[in-house]
C-alpha cells in the first residue's frame, strides 16, 4: 500500500468516526465545547473536501516533485512515470519524458472536474440558501460552514494545479516540444 492510499483511508476513517460521534451524540468534549455548529460544519466540509481531493493533492504534489527533478536534470524512472499516466504500456514506451508528464497531468483532469463540480454545487446551494431562494431553511448557516471548510482545500488544489501547469509549460519550452 502506498502513502496516498494510507492517508486516504486514514481520512475516510477519521471522517466516519467524526460523523458517528456526531450522530450518536457522543463528542470529544474539548472539540465540541470549542466549536459552534457552524464550526463543526466547517470541520465536516474541510474533512469531506480533503477526502474527495486526496487524489488531486497527491497527484499534483508528486507531479511537482517529478517536474522539478526533471528541470534540475535528475534521473527520472520512465517505468514509474508510465504507470502514473495510467495508459497502456504499448502507448507510452516510445514517448519522451515531457510527453509522459503531459499525459500524467491530463489523467488528473477527470478528478479535477469532478471535484470542482461538487464544489460548485456546494457553492450554488450555499448562495441559494443565503439569499433565501430555497425558502427559510435552517441549514443555510451549516451549508456556509461546510462551504468555507471545502474552500480551504479547494484553494490548495487550485494552487497546485496552477503551479503544475506552469512547470509543464516551462518543461515544454525548455525541451522545445511546445
Amino acid at each position: 500500500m502506498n502513502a496516498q492510499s494510507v492517508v486516504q483511508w486514514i481520512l475516510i476513517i477519521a471522517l466516519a468516526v467524526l460523523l458517528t460521534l456526531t450522530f450518536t451524540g457522543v463528542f470529544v468534549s474539548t472539540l465540541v465545547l470549542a466549536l459552534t455548529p457552524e464550526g463543526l460544519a466547517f470541520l465536516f466540509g474541510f474533512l469531506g473536501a480533503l477526502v474527495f481531493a486526496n487524489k488531486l493533492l497527491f497527484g499534483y504534489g508528486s507531479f511537482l516533485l517529478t517536474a522539478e527533478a526533471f528541470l534540475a536534470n535528475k534521473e527520472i524512472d520512465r517505468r514509474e512515470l508510465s504507470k502514473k499516466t495510467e495508459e497502456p504500456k504499448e502507448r507510452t514506451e516510445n514517448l519522451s519524458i515531457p510527453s509522459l508528464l503531459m499525459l500524467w497531468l491530463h489523467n488528473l483532469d477527470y478528478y479535477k472536474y469532478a471535484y470542482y463540480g461538487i464544489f460548485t454545487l456546494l457553492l450554488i446551494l450555499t448562495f441559494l440558501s443565503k439569499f433565501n431562494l430555497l425558502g427559510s431553511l435552517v441549514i443555510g448557516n451549516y451549508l456556509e460552514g461546510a462551504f468555507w471548510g471545502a474552500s480551504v482545500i479547494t484553494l490548495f488544489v487550485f494552487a497546485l494545479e496552477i503551479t503544475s501547469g506552469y512547470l509543464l509549460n516551462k518543461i515544454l519550452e525548455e525541451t522545445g516540444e511546445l
Side-chain angles (χ1 to χ4, degrees), residues 72-154:
N73 293 328
K74 293 182 180 175
E75 187 66 30
I76 296 175
D77 187 17
R78 291 179 57 82
R79 282 180 280 153
E80 277 296 315
L81 196 54
S82 294
K83 285 181 191 174
K84 291 182 180 179
T85 62
E86 296 180 7
E87 295 286 335
K89 183 181 177 186
E90 297 81 25
R91 185 172 180 200
T92 60
E93 63 187 13
N94 294 327
L95 294 176
S96 64
I97 299 283
S99 298
L100 289 173
L101 288 171
M102 200 175 341
L103 276 175
W104 183 10
L105 208 55
H106 175 70
N107 184 37
L108 291 174
D109 280 350
Y110 304 112
Y111 301 102
K112 175 180 72 172
Y113 294 134
Y115 179 75
Y116 285 153
I118 291 171
F119 180 75
T120 304
L121 180 63
L122 182 62
L123 173 70
I124 290 170
L125 287 174
T126 303
F127 278 153
L128 288 176
S129 68
K130 290 311 276 183
F131 292 134
N132 206 17
L133 296 174
L134 291 177
S136 60
L137 292 178
V138 180
I139 62 169
N141 291 337
Y142 304 119
L143 278 173
E144 185 178 4
F147 168 74
W148 288 115
S151 296
V152 173
I153 299 300
T154 304

